[in-house]
Amino acid sequence: MDIRVSGHQVETGDALKTLVTDRLQGISDKYFARALSSQITFGKGPHDNGFTCDIVMHVMQGLVLKATNKGMEANGAFDGAADRIDKQLRRYVSRLKDRQAGVVSALAENGAYDGGFDNAGYTLFQEAGDEEAPVEAPLIIAETRVDVPEATVSDAVMMLDLRHTNALLFRNTATGVHNMVYRRGDGTIGWVEPNRAQA
C-alpha cells in the first residue's frame, strides 16, 4: 500500500512516519490482501494547541475511508484516527470483501480492470479569508470530482458512514437512477430518490 505522511505547518519526523506506516499496513493486511493508498495529514490543533490527524484511505474502487482525530500529541491524534479506521473496517469487513470481489470481476469481464482505482480530483478555488461574502453569493471554496458510485441503498449508507460525510450521491443499482443518502440532524439517514416522469 502506498502510504504518504505529510504535515500542514507541522514537522513529521522519521519515528512518526514509521509508526504511521506500520500501523496502517497492519490494518490493511488484517482486512485486505491489498489496499490501494493512504494519505495521512498532521496539522496544528485549534488555536495552535495540540495536533490534528486526518486519514484518507483508498481501499478499492469507489470506496474511501476517512477518519480524523485531535490530540495533545501527534501520536495520540494518529492513534485515535487509526482506531476509527480499524473500527469501521471491522464493522463492514464482510460486506466490503463481497463488494470488492464483485467490482473486480465485473471490471475484468469488461476488460476495464487496470489495477488503478484513484480517479478523484480536487481543486481549491479560493482560500477562506477574513472578508465576508454577501449572503446571496457565497464563495465557492472547493469542488471534488469523483465518479458517482453504482451501489444499492444499503451499500450507499455504508459508504456514507465509512467516508464520514454528510451526503453521498450514487447511482441506484436497482433503478439505474441517481439517488442521494444523507445524514439528518437527528442522526438518522435520509434517502432522496427523484420522481419518475409519468407517462
Side-chain angles (χ1 to χ4, degrees):
M1 174 171 59
D2 178 30
I3 299 174
R4 296 180 185 175
V5 180
S6 60
H8 182 69
Q9 299 177 347
V10 171
E11 283 293 322
T12 56
D14 291 339
L16 182 59
K17 288 180 181 178
T18 302
L19 170 76
V20 167
T21 301
D22 291 348
R23 176 83 190 272
L24 288 182
Q25 192 63 54
I27 290 172
S28 174
D29 292 346
K30 181 177 175 182
Y31 295 106
F32 294 97
R34 178 178 160 258
L36 300 173
S37 66
S38 293
Q39 174 68 42
I40 301 85
T41 307
F42 290 93
K44 292 183 179 180
H47 311 292
D48 291 337
N49 187 16
F51 296 89
T52 63
C53 178
D54 295 310
I55 300 174
V56 178
M57 188 179 219
H58 295 267
V59 180
M60 65 183 76
Q61 181 182 20
L63 184 62
V64 179
L65 304 173
K66 293 183 181 180
T68 187
N69 194 44
K70 298 175 187 165
M72 293 309 293
E73 296 180 356
N75 292 3
F78 168 72
D79 284 337
D83 287 345
R84 289 180 182 174
I85 293 283
D86 192 20
K87 183 178 178 182
Q88 291 171 3
L89 286 172
R90 190 170 50 247
R91 182 176 176 190
Y92 291 115
V93 68
S94 62
R95 285 180 61 190
L96 292 174
K97 286 186 178 179
D98 291 345
R99 186 171 190 274
Q100 182 180 30
V103 166
V104 171
S105 64
L107 289 173
E109 285 175 11
N110 296 333
Y113 181 69
D114 63 359
F117 291 115
D118 191 9
N119 60 356
Y122 183 79
T123 306
L124 185 64
F125 288 108
Q126 182 174 349
E127 291 283 339
D130 292 332
E131 63 275 340
E132 293 184 21
V135 174
E136 63 273 4
L139 294 174
I140 297 173
I141 303 299
E143 175 184 290
T144 302
R145 285 185 166 176
V146 295
D147 287 336
V148 175
E150 191 164 321
T152 63
V153 176
S154 63
D155 281 350
V157 171
M158 175 185 69
M159 286 187 261
L160 176 80
D161 205 22
L162 292 172
R163 293 181 185 189
H164 286 283
T165 57
N166 292 325
L168 177 74
L169 178 69
F170 68 101
R171 186 177 174 102
N172 191 328
T173 55
T175 63
V177 177
H178 287 92
N179 289 194
M180 183 174 66
V181 290
Y182 64 97
R183 194 168 309 281
R184 298 166 47 107
D186 61 1
T188 59
I189 302 294
W191 172 24
V192 177
E193 185 172 28
N195 282 335
R196 295 184 185 211
Q198 295 185 8

